[in-house]
Amino acid sequence: MLQILHNNRCGKSRNCLAILESKKLEFEIINYLTTPPTEATLKSVLKKLGIPPIDLVRQKEKLWIDTFKGKTLSEEEIINIMITNPILIERPLLITETSAIIARDEAKIHNFLQ
């Protein structure tokens, strides 16, 4: 089943959700701020995205800048930081059984859903 990792306070996330609703697709909304992904889930999403953990971090987020920027961190440490601080996870994410995208671009969302 299609899932969206969603933050209702994020305009890009709300836009992605609106696209899903307009297409009348069946999907699950996961508010990742209240239900953070597990380590296994996050690793699975990273594998589907085909990116290293640092590329899923919201590096302009104040928490990242104040606490982690400039530090040498392993991939495992970055994953644990995102689990502990889910606000640092890039959003929204669209996830299927076999693939995932960071769904910030409308055209990318439409292509993914075809």
Side-chain angles (χ1 to χ4, degrees):
M1 172 182 277
L2 179 64
Q3 296 176 318
I4 177 174
L5 263 65
H6 177 64
N7 176 350
N8 197 46
R9 292 179 295 211
C10 171
K12 297 276 186 189
S13 196
R14 289 191 308 269
N15 182 55
C16 182
L17 185 61
I19 292 169
L20 295 177
E21 290 170 342
S22 74
K23 291 185 173 286
K24 302 200 183 328
L25 297 171
E26 188 175 322
F27 59 92
E28 176 185 8
I29 299 172
I30 299 171
N31 182 340
Y32 69 96
L33 295 177
T34 57
T35 309
T38 64
E39 180 180 358
T41 299
L42 198 52
K43 284 181 176 181
S44 172
V45 169
L46 287 164
K47 185 175 182 179
K48 290 174 186 178
L49 289 168
I51 61 173
I54 192 65
D55 289 350
L56 191 57
V57 173
R58 294 177 54 81
Q59 296 180 49
K60 294 182 182 177
E61 199 62 53
K62 182 175 178 11
L63 173 63
W64 180 263
I65 293 167
D66 293 347
T67 311
F68 305 107
K69 185 177 180 182
K71 292 186 177 179
T72 302
L73 301 165
S74 69
E75 289 192 350
E76 201 66 36
E77 288 171 318
I78 294 168
I79 289 168
N80 287 325
I81 288 167
M82 286 189 282
I83 292 166
T84 307
N85 305 282
I87 191 71
L88 294 176
I89 300 172
E90 191 63 72
R91 63 187 181 256
L93 293 175
L94 287 179
I95 306 161
T96 68
E97 284 293 319
T98 58
S99 59
I101 62 164
I102 300 171
R104 298 188 60 77
D105 176 78
E106 197 167 317
K108 194 173 181 181
I109 295 167
H110 288 289
N111 287 338
F112 183 76
L113 296 173
Q114 290 182 352

